[in-house]
Amino acid sequence: MIVELGHYALVLALCVALVQSVVPLVGAHRRNPAWMAVAEPAAVLQFLLVGFAFAALVRAFMTSDFSLRVVVENSHSLKPMLYKFAGTWGNHEGSLLLWSLILSLYSACAVFFGQYLPATLKARVLAVQGMIGVAFLLFMLLTSNPFDRLAMPPMDGRDLNPLLQDPGLAFHPPFLYLGYVGLSMAFSFAVAALIEGRVDAAWARWVRPWTVAAWVFLTIGIALGSWWAYYELGWGGFWFWDPVENASFMPWLIGAALLHSAIVVEKRETLKAWTILLAILAFGFSLIGTFIVRSGVITSVHSFANDPERGVFILLILAVFLGGALTLFAARAGAMEAKGIFAPISRESALVANNILLTVACFVVFVGTVWPLVAEMAFDRKLSVGEPFFNAAFTPFMVALALILPPGSVLAWKRGDLSRALRLMRPALILSVVLGATVWALQGGPAVLGPIGAALGAWVVLGALTDLWSKGGQGAAGTRLRRLARAPRADWGKATAHVGLGVTLFAVAAMHAWKVEDIRVMKPGDSMEFGGYTVTLTGVREEPGPNYTTHFADLAVARPGGPTITMQPEKRFYPVQAMPTTEAAIHQTLTHDLYFALGDPQDGGGWVIRSYREPFANWLWIGSALMALGGLLSLTDRRFRLAAGARRPAAVPAE
C-alpha cells in the first residue's frame, strides 16, 4: 500500500509541477498577484509529495520489499543496512527520484529564503523550476518508474554493485546531486531575468548565493568520489579522467567561472550577457552529465542505465531547456547592455581572464570526453582519449590561472595599477620562487613537475593571504588583525577557497611527480624494501563478511628506528554478483601515505601485492575541504543572506 501511495504521490507531484510552471508565469506577465502567489504553495507541495514518494522507496529498500523491480535488481536481504539505505539512489530509477527530490527542495528553499525577491522575478524563477520538475517527473514516470511491481516476486535480490557498497559511494551521489541540481537555480534566475529583460547588480546579488551553494556541494561530491577512487579501486590513484568524473568536473569549472563573473555584474554592472550565458551553460553541462550517465553511451561503474530510449528522452530535455534558453538569450541581447567600462589592467580584466581560462579548460575536458563517441558515430573508428591527453591539454590553463590569480585579486576596479599589485605580491613571489628552488634542490632529480607545483601552490596560498592581510589597512599588526576580524565573511571565504586551491594544486603535482609504486608476488614470510620501509607478508587469511567473503593480507611494515605497524589490505568476493573488490590498507601521515592493495592469488602460493607511496595525499583532501569551507563562509556573509536588501518589496498592483 505504501508503494502505491508513493506512486500516486509522484503523479500528483507532476500535476502540481504543471500548475507551478504555468499559472505563476501567466500571472507575472499579467501582473496578477493572486496568480503569482500560486508559485509558493505549489513549490512546497511538490516538495512534500516527492519527499513522500522518496520515503516510500527508502522503506521498500530498508524492508527488502522484493515485489519492486528496482529493489530486486539493486538489493539483497544480507546487505548491511547502510547499503540498503544507500541502494535507494544506487540505481537509475532511485537516483532519478533523488534528483527530483533535490530539485523540488531547491524550489521550496527559494520560497523560504527568497522573501526579498521582487514578486514577478520570484514567480518566474519558481515557474522555470516547475518546468524542469515537469520534465524529470515525466521522464521518471514514463521510462523509469521506481515503483514498478513484479508479478512474481523472487525470494531475494541480485544485490547492489559491490563497488558501490562503500561509505564513500553512499554519500557521494547526494552531495553531487545537490551541486548538479543546484545549478538549476542559476539557470532559472537567468531565464527569469531574460523574460523580464532586466539584468543588474541586484540580480547578481540574488543569484550568487545559489551558485555558491551548488558549487560547494559539487566540490564536496567530487572530493568524495575522488577519495573513493583512491582507496577502493586499488590503483593508488585519485582521478582517472573517466567520462563520468569529467561529467561532474565540467559544471564545477563553469560554476566557478559563473561565481567570479557574477561578482563583476554586482560590482560594476558589466559582463551581463556573459554571466547569463554561463548560468545557462552551467546547468546545460549538468544535463550533459545526466545524459552521459544514463544513456548507455559509456560503460562505467558510474553508469546507472544503458537504455538508448532513455538517452533520447534526456537529449530531448537538453534540447528544450538549453535550446530554449539560448534562443531567449539571443532575443534579449539588447537588454543586457553593459553600463561599466574598465581598463585592460583592472580587477574586471583579471576576472575576465579567469573566466576565459576556466571556460576553455571546460571545453578541453568536454572535447576529450565526447570525441571518442563522435569518432565512433561519424567515422566508425574506436578511439581512446586517456590521461596523457587531458594532462597535456588541461594543465596549461590551470598553470595560467594560478599565475594570474594573486595579482588579479588585489587590482583595483575599473583601472588598476599592475606595478602596485606586483609590489604588494613581491614577498609572496620571492617566497614561492625560493620554495620551488629548494624543492628542486632536495628532490634529487631533473623532474620539474614537483618544484613547479610547489612554487605555484605557494604562490596561490601566499597571494590569498597577502590579499586578505591587505584588507586590514595600515597600522600595527594588532590593529590590522582587529580590522580583519570585522571584515565581511565573504572576504574570509574567498581567501580560504583560494588557499584550498593552492594546496590542491601542490598536492596534485606532488602525487604525480614523486609517487613510488611496486607490484610483485609475495609469499608468506617474504620481505621487501619499499619507500624507506621494510614490508613483510606474515600471512593471508580468509574470513566471512555479511554478504561477501574476504581474504586479509597481514603486512608488517617497519621503519628503521620506528615502530612496526600492521596493515591489512583486503580482497573481497561477492557471490551474488560473482564480483571481487579491493579494499586498500592505507597508513596516513602528513607528508605521505603508505598504500597497499591485495591482488589475485598466484600459482605456487604467492599473492600479488601492489604497493604505493603517495606523497602529500592528505593535502589533496585538505585542499578540497578548504575550498568547500571557503564557499560555506561566503554563504554566511550577511550580504548573501539578505541578498538585495532589508526591505520587503512592495506588492505589484494588478492591471
Side-chain angles (χ1 to χ4, degrees), residues 76-81 83 159 165 541-552 570-576 579 581 583:
H76 191 274
S77 59
L78 296 179
K79 191 168 65 173
M81 192 59 69
Y83 305 128
D159 209 356
Q165 296 186 39
R541 52 196 167 84
E542 183 178 1
E543 292 186 5
N547 61 333
Y548 58 84
T549 59
T550 183
H551 284 89
F552 283 97
E570 288 184 65
K571 187 77 172 182
R572 294 179 179 176
F573 181 76
Y574 291 78
V576 175
M579 181 176 174
T581 65
E583 301 293 324

Side-chain angles (χ1 to χ4, degrees), residues 8 38 349 354 414 629:
Y8 296 151
V38 170
S349 294
N354 163 290
K414 191 175 181 180
L629 177 62

Side-chain angles (χ1 to χ4, degrees), residues 178-245:
L178 283 165
Y180 268 150
V181 184
L183 291 172
S184 68
M185 288 299 298
F187 175 85
S188 296
F189 268 95
V191 172
L194 288 173
I195 293 173
E196 289 200 347
R198 179 185 174 187
V199 181
D200 53 16
W203 176 87
R205 285 194 294 272
W206 291 321
V207 80
R208 277 181 65 196
W210 300 102
T211 307
V212 170
W215 185 84
V216 167
F217 286 126
L218 259 181
T219 302
I220 296 172
I222 291 172
L224 284 174
S226 175
W227 177 53
W228 168 83
Y230 175 64
Y231 72 78
E232 177 67 23
L233 298 183
W235 301 339
F238 61 91
W239 193 262
F240 303 99
W241 294 106
D242 180 279
V244 182
E245 289 178 326

Side-chain angles (χ1 to χ4, degrees), residues 467-517:
D467 178 27
L468 183 63
W469 182 250
S470 68
K471 297 182 185 302
Q474 301 297 321
T479 303
R480 299 180 77 170
L481 285 173
R482 284 192 293 272
R483 290 182 189 139
L484 281 176
R486 298 191 298 267
R489 290 184 186 173
D491 291 340
W492 283 94
K494 168 190 168 184
T496 304
H498 286 181
V499 167
L501 175 62
V503 172
T504 301
L505 289 174
F506 167 67
V508 170
M511 292 178 74
H512 278 92
W514 302 318
K515 178 177 180 177
V516 180
E517 60 181 283

